[in-house]
Amino acid sequence: MASDQNEVSKGLEWRIKVADGSSEILVPEAKSAATRVLLCLKAFIVGLASKVWKFLLKAWDVGVDDPRKVIHCLKVGMALTVVSLFYYMRPLYDGVGGTAMWAIMTVVVVFENTVGATICKSLNRMSGTFLAGFLAVGVQWIASQSGNRFEPIIIGASVFLLASAATFSRFIPSVKARFDYGAMIFILTFSLVSISGYRVDEVFNLAHRRLSTIIIGTTLCIIVSMLVCPIWAGQELFTLIFRNMDKLADSLEGCVGEYFKDGDDIDDSDKECHKKLQGYKCVLSSKAAEDSMANFARWEPAHGGFNFRHPWKQYIKIGASMRSCAYCIEALNSCINSENQANEYIKKHISNNCLKVSSNSSGVIRELALTIKTMKKSSNIHFLVGDMNNAVQELQPEAAETPENKTTEQQPASKTVVTIMPIVDIIPLVTLTSLLIEIVSRINGIVDAVEELADLAEFKPASNDKCGKDDDQLNNNFLPDQQKDKDTMKKVFPRV
Amino acid sequence: MASDQNEVSKGLEWRIKVADGSSEILVPEAKSAATRVLLCLKAFIVGLASKVWKFLLKAWDVGVDDPRKVIHCLKVGMALTVVSLFYYMRPLYDGVGGTAMWAIMTVVVVFENTVGATICKSLNRMSGTFLAGFLAVGVQWIASQSGNRFEPIIIGASVFLLASAATFSRFIPSVKARFDYGAMIFILTFSLVSISGYRVDEVFNLAHRRLSTIIIGTTLCIIVSMLVCPIWAGQELFTLIFRNMDKLADSLEGCVGEYFKDGDDIDDSDKECHKKLQGYKCVLSSKAAEDSMANFARWEPAHGGFNFRHPWKQYIKIGASMRSCAYCIEALNSCINSENQANEYIKKHISNNCLKVSSNSSGVIRELALTIKTMKKSSNIHFLVGDMNNAVQELQPEAAETPENKTTEQQPASKTVVTIMPIVDIIPLVTLTSLLIEIVSRINGIVDAVEELADLAEFKPASNDKCGKDDDQLNNNFLPDQQKDKDTMKKVFPRV
């Protein structure tokens, strides 16, 4: 005790001495160092807290955007809790024993967001396990017949060969698209069963229990995913396609409309409008989503208006034709935003015609979206397509009149003069026109793809009431303009 | 023996009787049914064999296209065989016991094609397991303190809550990009350990063994994937980007060249040429590959010319700017293949200028590809960009001369007349011109992105010898044409 006190007082004395000797030099520095550390710590904690807060806000947004994601999470939790009953209940536990953990693992790994993905993974897991277990038991039997010395060699060689072959098969596109997970499970089960067999001595039992627990897990997953608020990959694909069509129509119409509208009337809805214009970008970037959903959709049983053999592949074709249209809208968008300003005089005069083409073609796209949405053949799509093609014909007024224009080569002086202007003034307008023409021809591609879908999926014709009304309305909208445009075009573009 | 013989002879007799009694009616039908079955079987076998054969051919092609895939498969086989040594060797087996299967499972699940993907999955698996094991042991301890009645309820509730939360986190984009697999492993381990703990009674041991076997498995995977013919995600991304640039340059040049070349000289290399023209489609569809490889590349240690903090994200930006250029080339391609035929007279006269723009701009893209490939700042990229921009200026000759063309609105008659032709004859050419101008402006975007990369990754300047030569060569190629084009353009396009 005494020596302890002595040491403490020494320490105190020493500390005080040091403090005395250099109080004016060191103490402020030490203080500032301490405060600096504190400040750093505070900044770190504040930074961390704000990061966590931002992350939580983002997570909240994800949940609000699509509440079904939250439901999916609850479904996973539910399935896991149900499967863990196998552990808690004695009779069930005695049935499958310690391998109940395979069932838990299966639920975690196999449960996906959509029914199709869950079924696809479940079937892959079951067939991969079955095939591998079967082969592993066979290999194990052969190995056990060949004596203690060769047993590990035979097993090792078979694992090496089959694992390599199955891994390689995962690189082949057709296998990768459908059986990627199955091939992995094949390697896993084969290695596990055949290697464990070397020690466990009851390889058949192991294979059997693994298979039965996996069947329990996958069945549970499929049942929960199909019965509790199911999310069907097919339905998702279907919705994605017709929503993207609407977006495409909005951006096409908005893009051309924005270009031709007077500069004065910029209003509050500018941001909303800008968002609409960018809709085509969703189409550009949705290829991966379409492919994977079409791939999962074909595993799904009949649901909603879709039967089991619904032509899901056709939606990929429709998506591709929409994307090719979106490429052109992208070019159109940049041509509209380019620095070259068009001559206001011509711009005003072809504006009606361009607006008509854009509104007619977005009308066609919207009608196609409606066809898909209602799953009914539209009766007036042909009128709309006709209107659109007529409007395009009016955009290129000379094409029909001088089909032999190739023969006029090198005789340009023989034409009559009407209006003269620098070519730079018309470059943006001619480009716009030409891109609009190209867009219309690509829209015809979408029309063909949707009609093919309607045939393949046997869409019924729509009732006539609504369509007739639509038709009238469209005619009312466009006919006066059409007449006006024809006159204008004759004035402006007879010969340039 | 006697009764046996009797039965046999009876059988024979009966068979003969039947054959006698109805030989003329039944035999031909039976024969045809049998042959039909045989034919069906034969057709089935032949069909199956041809399918298998096709599949094998496809697999062979995959292997020949990229032999590294075959090497990867052998690596997986090797890693599995090595890890199975844990089972065969008594001292190792005694160390980890029956849980050695976790190591096998880890190898199968974690081993990916590229080093980055393997490291990413390994770290995810390790951290997910560690975090979940830690939490599960804690929950298990709390549950065991609260009595037999509440234990399963506490465990069940915690599994439900944590599994739901972790599943939800997988929907958040920033988590999904990096920790998707880790979140899954977290759910898996937490459920396994905490549920097993209810029965196993040595939950700490289970968690510890699971963690140590997983560390063994992941370490083995990382070592094999890094030491045996490593495939680096970073290197792959790097190669993809500069190859895509070359493809972009080829299609741009080929596309314009194809349009302006005389119809006569169609040669044998047509298919090869067509394939080149379609190169931009690779750029359009490589977004997913770029994203995933950039994501994996950042986990990789320094390799080749890349250090650990190489700016991989910048490659995604370069890819995006290339894609925006490819959209325009797509539009250009369709404008060139459209039905509207241009006036041959003007076509011939602007051909030199267009060809110059296209060859200059593909030259710029190729130089950028070379910059990336050699990782050296190009000293003549600015000359090339200057040439390209000059060539574009010559394509729009009026723009510089009449900057006040907005004020000439509605006074078109004051211009002088030089050449008159129907507007439909120049639509394709004006569109082509305008798209070329847009393409050049987008190429400037690629140039900026590559220069940013050169700054971020601290590329060294290239040695001057080669560049000086290139520069001279380029000047020699283009100067005479340039002069000629300027004259031509003044003749054709002073005022249209």
Side-chain angles (χ1 to χ4, degrees):
Chain A
M1 275 294 276
S3 77
D4 272 0
Q5 268 192 340
N6 211 0
E7 265 182 36
V8 169
S9 67
K10 260 186 194 170
L12 278 172
E13 198 180 8
W14 175 79
R15 227 192 297 158
I16 293 159
K17 263 184 194 164
V18 169
D20 280 346
S22 56
S23 63
E24 280 173 42
I25 306 158
L26 279 177
V27 169
E29 230 176 51
K31 242 189 197 169
S32 73
T35 42
R36 228 182 297 148
V37 168
L38 269 179
L39 280 175
C40 276
L41 203 71
K42 203 178 155 191
F44 175 75
I45 290 172
V46 168
L48 195 75
S50 86
K51 264 193 183 171
V52 169
W53 181 243
K54 266 184 202 163
F55 179 81
L56 288 179
L57 278 183
K58 215 189 277 173
W60 180 259
D61 285 347
V62 169
V64 170
D65 269 2
D66 191 356
R68 293 180 309 167
K69 284 179 179 166
V70 180
I71 296 174
H72 169 70
C73 301
L74 300 180
K75 277 156 73 180
V76 173
M78 203 177 92
L80 265 179
T81 317
V82 170
V83 89
S84 58
L85 286 180
F86 279 89
Y87 247 83
Y88 301 141
M89 291 188 184
R90 179 142 306 270
L92 291 173
Y93 183 79
D94 290 345
V96 291
T99 48
M101 66 164 120
W102 294 115
I104 298 171
M105 191 173 283
T106 302
V107 170
V108 175
V109 175
V110 154
F111 211 124
E112 291 278 329
N113 196 13
T114 59
V115 178
T118 309
I119 295 179
C120 172
K121 267 197 152 178
S122 299
L123 292 182
N124 263 301
R125 192 172 174 99
M126 279 198 274
S127 51
T129 306
F130 181 76
L131 201 65
F134 189 75
L135 265 175
V137 170
V139 167
Q140 188 65 35
W141 183 81
I142 293 172
S144 66
Q145 299 295 311
S146 53
N148 273 340
R149 203 167 160 193
F150 289 106
E151 196 178 337
I153 297 176
I154 289 179
I155 293 177
S158 68
V159 166
F160 180 84
L161 282 178
L162 279 170
S164 300
T167 308
F168 184 74
S169 79
R170 295 173 70 189
F171 285 118
I172 300 165
S174 55
V175 175
K176 188 167 183 63
R178 292 200 225 173
F179 306 114
D180 189 53
Y181 184 67
M184 197 177 86
I185 290 298
F186 175 86
I187 308 173
L188 188 61
T189 306
F190 185 81
S191 318
L192 282 186
V193 172
S194 63
I195 293 173
S196 308
Y198 179 63
R199 296 245 170 230
V200 171
D201 290 337
E202 39 173 26
V203 63
F204 186 76
N205 245 346
L206 182 74
H208 167 251
R209 268 186 301 178
R210 182 166 158 83
L211 193 60
S212 60
T213 44
I214 281 179
I215 288 175
I216 292 171
T218 50
T219 314
L220 182 72
C221 284
I222 293 177
I223 289 174
V224 171
S225 76
M226 273 172 66
L227 297 188
V228 187
C229 307
I231 301 172
W232 303 96
Q235 181 70 47
E236 295 290 293
L237 176 63
F238 181 80
T239 315
L240 179 75
I241 290 285
F242 75 72
R243 283 211 185 131
N244 273 353
M245 274 192 183
D246 280 335
K247 281 180 189 167
L248 207 62
D250 285 347
S251 6
L252 177 58
E253 200 172 39
C255 212
V256 178
E258 184 81 358
Y259 183 62
F260 285 111
K261 89 171 175 197
D262 297 329
D264 306 333
D265 53 347
I266 295 171
D267 48 7
D268 293 340
S269 65
D270 218 39
K271 262 194 179 173
E272 182 66 22
C273 183
H274 183 75
K275 205 179 159 194
K276 256 192 173 178
L277 288 188
Q278 302 293 314
Y280 68 89
K281 288 193 176 160
C282 293
V283 181
L284 286 180
S285 61
S286 61
K287 186 179 187 304
E290 283 166 21
D291 284 352
S292 83
M293 279 196 282
N295 192 23
F296 292 139
R298 62 174 141 182
W299 298 93
E300 289 175 350
H303 61 276
F306 316 110
N307 48 16
F308 177 62
R309 289 216 163 263
H310 194 78
W312 296 115
K313 273 191 177 174
Q314 189 61 27
Y315 289 88
I316 294 184
K317 278 191 200 167
I318 296 176
S321 60
M322 277 160 64
R323 218 161 297 120
S324 101
C325 188
Y327 294 147
C328 264
I329 294 182
E330 220 270 350
L332 184 77
N333 205 21
S334 67
C335 137
I336 280 172
N337 295 326
S338 79
E339 293 162 16
N340 283 331
Q341 285 301 316
N343 182 302
E344 288 292 324
Y345 180 68
I346 323 178
K347 187 174 164 180
K348 252 183 210 159
H349 279 86
I350 69 160
S351 84
N352 274 334
N353 228 332
C354 285
L355 285 173
K356 208 182 81 185
V357 170
S358 87
S359 89
N360 276 12
S361 40
S362 2
V364 169
I365 302 180
R366 286 207 186 93
E367 185 69 25
L368 292 177
L370 197 73
T371 303
I372 295 184
K373 198 173 176 180
T374 57
M375 297 185 83
K376 281 182 180 154
K377 276 182 187 171
S378 158
S379 59
N380 59 342
I381 184 77
H382 293 290
F383 295 108
L384 290 174
V385 170
D387 279 354
M388 175 178 80
N389 289 337
N390 286 341
V392 164
Q393 284 299 321
E394 284 157 28
L395 254 189
Q396 34 183 348
E398 303 302 281
E401 292 166 30
T402 55
E404 73 286 18
N405 51 12
K406 269 188 189 173
T407 60
T408 62
E409 192 188 327
Q410 300 198 349
Q411 301 162 347
S414 65
K415 309 276 172 181
T416 49
V417 186
V418 177
T419 309
I420 301 120
M421 58 200 71
I423 191 155
V424 72
D425 282 11
I426 59 163
I427 280 188
L429 294 173
V430 171
T431 310
L432 181 97
T433 313
S434 156
L435 285 174
L436 272 180
I437 293 169
E438 182 62 30
I439 287 172
V440 165
S441 90
R442 291 183 181 199
I443 290 176
N444 281 318
I446 310 182
V447 173
D448 292 344
V450 173
E451 280 185 349
E452 207 178 324
L453 173 71
D455 287 341
L456 287 172
E458 293 166 7
F459 286 1
K460 279 168 197 155
S463 57
N464 276 325
D465 294 352
K466 206 184 129 287
C467 299
K469 215 171 66 191
D470 276 8
D471 218 345
D472 284 355
Q473 202 186 346
L474 281 165
N475 285 340
N476 285 339
N477 277 345
F478 295 128
L479 267 176
D481 279 0
Q482 206 166 335
Q483 199 52 46
K484 208 171 86 194
D485 287 344
K486 259 186 196 158
D487 300 342
T488 319
M489 287 304 286
K490 271 180 194 152
K491 270 185 220 142
V492 182
F493 271 159
R495 306 271 186 272
V496 178
Chain B
M1 275 292 278
S3 77
D4 272 1
Q5 268 194 340
N6 212 359
E7 267 182 36
V8 169
S9 68
K10 261 185 194 169
L12 279 174
E13 200 180 8
W14 176 79
R15 228 191 296 158
I16 291 160
K17 262 185 196 161
V18 170
D20 280 346
S22 57
S23 63
E24 280 175 41
I25 308 158
L26 278 177
V27 170
E29 232 177 49
K31 243 189 197 169
S32 72
T35 41
R36 229 182 296 148
V37 167
L38 268 179
L39 280 175
C40 276
L41 204 71
K42 203 179 154 190
F44 175 76
I45 291 173
V46 168
L48 195 75
S50 87
K51 265 194 182 170
V52 169
W53 181 243
K54 267 184 203 162
F55 179 81
L56 288 179
L57 279 183
K58 216 190 277 174
W60 180 259
D61 285 348
V62 169
V64 169
D65 270 2
D66 191 355
R68 292 180 310 169
K69 287 180 178 164
V70 180
I71 296 173
H72 168 70
C73 302
L74 301 180
K75 277 156 75 179
V76 172
M78 202 177 91
L80 266 179
T81 316
V82 170
V83 90
S84 59
L85 287 179
F86 279 89
Y87 247 83
Y88 301 141
M89 291 188 186
R90 176 139 308 269
L92 292 172
Y93 182 80
D94 290 345
V96 290
T99 48
M101 67 165 119
W102 294 115
I104 297 171
M105 191 174 283
T106 304
V107 170
V108 175
V109 175
V110 153
F111 211 124
E112 291 278 329
N113 195 13
T114 59
V115 178
T118 308
I119 295 179
C120 171
K121 268 198 151 178
S122 298
L123 292 182
N124 263 303
R125 192 172 175 100
M126 279 198 273
S127 50
T129 306
F130 181 76
L131 201 66
F134 190 75
L135 265 176
V137 170
V139 168
Q140 188 63 36
W141 184 81
I142 293 172
S144 67
Q145 299 294 312
S146 53
N148 273 341
R149 204 168 159 194
F150 290 105
E151 196 178 337
I153 296 175
I154 290 179
I155 293 176
S158 68
V159 166
F160 181 83
L161 283 179
L162 279 171
S164 299
T167 307
F168 184 74
S169 78
R170 294 174 70 189
F171 285 118
I172 300 164
S174 55
V175 175
K176 186 164 185 65
R178 290 200 226 172
F179 306 114
D180 189 53
Y181 184 67
M184 197 177 85
I185 290 298
F186 175 87
I187 308 173
L188 188 60
T189 306
F190 185 80
S191 319
L192 282 186
V193 172
S194 63
I195 293 174
S196 308
Y198 180 64
R199 295 247 170 229
V200 171
D201 291 336
E202 40 175 25
V203 64
F204 186 75
N205 246 345
L206 182 74
H208 167 250
R209 268 185 302 177
R210 183 166 157 84
L211 192 61
S212 59
T213 44
I214 280 178
I215 288 176
I216 293 170
T218 49
T219 315
L220 182 73
C221 284
I222 294 177
I223 289 174
V224 171
S225 76
M226 274 172 65
L227 296 188
V228 186
C229 307
I231 301 173
W232 303 96
Q235 182 71 46
E236 295 290 292
L237 175 63
F238 181 79
T239 315
L240 179 75
I241 291 284
F242 75 72
R243 281 211 186 132
N244 272 353
M245 274 192 182
D246 279 335
K247 280 180 190 167
L248 207 62
D250 285 346
S251 3
L252 177 58
E253 200 172 38
C255 211
V256 178
E258 185 81 358
Y259 183 62
F260 285 110
K261 92 171 173 195
D262 297 327
D264 306 333
D265 52 347
I266 296 170
D267 48 7
D268 292 340
S269 64
D270 218 39
K271 263 194 178 171
E272 182 65 21
C273 184
H274 183 75
K275 204 178 158 194
K276 256 192 172 177
L277 289 188
Q278 303 291 316
Y280 68 89
K281 288 194 176 160
C282 293
V283 181
L284 287 179
S285 62
S286 62
K287 185 177 188 302
E290 283 166 19
D291 284 352
S292 82
M293 280 196 281
N295 192 22
F296 292 138
R298 63 173 139 182
W299 298 93
E300 289 176 351
H303 62 276
F306 316 109
N307 48 17
F308 178 61
R309 289 216 162 264
H310 193 78
W312 295 116
K313 273 191 177 174
Q314 188 62 26
Y315 290 88
I316 294 184
K317 278 191 199 167
I318 295 176
S321 60
M322 276 161 64
R323 217 161 298 120
S324 102
C325 188
Y327 294 148
C328 265
I329 294 182
E330 220 269 349
L332 184 77
N333 206 20
S334 67
C335 134
I336 280 172
N337 296 326
S338 79
E339 292 162 17
N340 283 331
Q341 285 301 316
N343 182 302
E344 288 293 324
Y345 179 69
I346 323 176
K347 187 174 165 181
K348 252 183 208 160
H349 280 86
I350 69 160
S351 83
N352 275 334
N353 228 332
C354 285
L355 285 174
K356 209 181 81 186
V357 170
S358 87
S359 90
N360 277 11
S361 40
S362 10
V364 168
I365 302 179
R366 288 208 185 92
E367 185 70 24
L368 292 176
L370 196 73
T371 302
I372 295 184
K373 197 174 176 181
T374 57
M375 299 185 81
K376 281 182 179 156
K377 275 181 188 171
S378 157
S379 58
N380 61 342
I381 184 78
H382 292 291
F383 297 107
L384 289 175
V385 170
D387 278 353
M388 176 178 79
N389 289 336
N390 286 340
V392 164
Q393 283 299 321
E394 284 158 28
L395 255 190
Q396 33 183 344
E398 304 301 279
E401 292 166 30
T402 55
E404 74 284 18
N405 51 12
K406 270 189 189 172
T407 61
T408 62
E409 193 188 326
Q410 301 196 349
Q411 301 162 346
S414 66
K415 309 275 172 180
T416 50
V417 186
V418 177
T419 309
I420 301 118
M421 59 199 73
I423 193 155
V424 71
D425 282 11
I426 59 162
I427 281 188
L429 293 172
V430 171
T431 310
L432 181 98
T433 313
S434 160
L435 285 175
L436 272 180
I437 293 169
E438 181 62 31
I439 287 173
V440 165
S441 91
R442 290 182 182 201
I443 290 177
N444 281 318
I446 309 182
V447 173
D448 292 345
V450 173
E451 280 184 348
E452 207 179 324
L453 172 72
D455 288 342
L456 288 172
E458 294 166 6
F459 285 2
K460 280 169 196 154
S463 57
N464 275 326
D465 295 351
K466 208 186 126 284
C467 300
K469 215 171 66 191
D470 275 7
D471 219 345
D472 284 355
Q473 202 186 345
L474 280 166
N475 283 342
N476 285 339
N477 277 345
F478 295 128
L479 267 177
D481 280 1
Q482 206 166 335
Q483 198 54 44
K484 208 170 87 195
D485 288 344
K486 258 185 195 158
D487 300 343
T488 319
M489 288 304 286
K490 271 180 195 153
K491 270 185 220 144
V492 182
F493 272 160
R495 305 273 186 272
V496 177

